Amino acid sequence: MTIVARLGADPPARLFNSALAAYAVVTAWEVGLLDELRAAGRLDIARFAREHDLHEPSVRAVLSALEWAEVVRVSDDAHEARTADAFPEIYATKGFFGWLLGGCGELLRTGGVVAQGGSWGRGLIRRDAGRIGTGTADFGRQFIDPVLDRMLEGIDYTCIADLGCGNGDRLVRAVLARPGSRGVGIDIAPDAIELARKRVAEAGLLDRVVLVEADVCRLEPRPEFADVDVATCFLMGHDFWPRENCLAVLDGFRAVFPRLGGIALGDTYRSERSPGADLPILTLGFEYVHALMDKYVPTLGEWRDVFPDSGWRCQAEHDVTLPPNTKIFHLVRAS
Ligand SMILES: C[S@@+](CC[C@H](N)C(=O)[O-])C[C@H]1O[C@@H](n2cnc3c(N)ncnc32)[C@H](O)[C@@H]1O
């Protein structure tokens, strides 16, 4: 497969324009343009800019980049934008773009210095936890939560913990789904906890959900954890690794959450493939970003291999369509 076959005619132009269009997806999402187009299928460009207090030339520039990617079509008189063929798929996957360019944008921008490996470069590693959480929640709601909901239907719980809770969306859904239940959200990032607090307040659950800013890999027992009987942990399990650390973290949960009977652990594993033309969304970005951060991403085989020694038994594995290379492991406490 040559680069021309992968990128069509004029590879540099296509690559350049793709990069810009990807940023345009994120901007269009953040300013409400994607939602407006999804709701109405069309919008009056000048009116949209005015009503949302946006700089009209910027809105038009974003629409041009999206038009190049066939996400929208701008009318010949330049008054109106309408959804185009690629819109539904791009709308559904916008969270991946938000994760990469919004959440990890600063890391990608500073990659040249970070890759030099010195302490100054390593010290520049920055990600935006709020945008990461917003991105993962968006694709998680569509592609992960339906599978998780089916798993949770068969499980009794009165107090659910979400480890690495991000913007709190999943925890709120789980608590709302079970009348009388309570929830504990744990995240290391203050920005994520802040977003989660807003989400919990909006849902009217401040009296049923506790949020804890803490490192899931170094938890100590606390009164809030005493009644947790089920835990979810999505898209952060790779942070438990390397293996010895992962074993200690998983085993430690048995003491930290004394009543915990099961964990839904969903994570993206290392793809173990070279980047060919059929590489799906996310994989390249996920592995690139974690390599820059020097974070180990285990393979599926390594995950399967760690459970028997972890104090947890993997009762079932569930597939999700997106993210690619992602499983939900249903772990139950080993006796
Ligand atoms: C990719 S996001 C996923 C968020 C959410 N679980 C979801 O699926 O939408 C990973 C989250 O885990 C949090 N996180 C990463 N390492 C952590 C750790 N050691 N302890 C607690 N939270 C952590 C990050 O701050 C971030 O909010």
Side-chain angles (χ1 to χ4, degrees), residues 271-309:
S271 63
E272 298 184 276
R273 56 180 289 186
S274 51
D278 57 348
L279 196 65
I281 194 165
L282 185 73
T283 303
L284 195 58
F286 182 72
E287 295 182 5
Y288 186 111
V289 159
H290 286 86
L292 284 182
M293 293 192 299
D294 200 23
K295 288 260 165 112
Y296 188 72
V297 177
T299 64
L300 179 57
E302 286 173 316
W303 270 119
R304 286 175 172 156
D305 192 52
V306 84
F307 296 134
D309 300 324

Side-chain angles (χ1 to χ4, degrees), residues 99 127 129 132-133 136-137 140 144 162-167 170 186-189 192 214-217 233-236 238-239 295:
W99 172 83
R127 293 206 301 165
I132 285 178
T136 57
I144 293 175
D162 191 21
L163 315 177
C165 65
N167 77 351
R170 184 164 293 117
I186 306 170
D187 203 288
I188 200 169
D215 183 346
V216 165
C217 301
C233 179
F234 280 84
L235 309 178
M236 72 144 291
H238 50 279
D239 284 286
K295 288 260 165 112

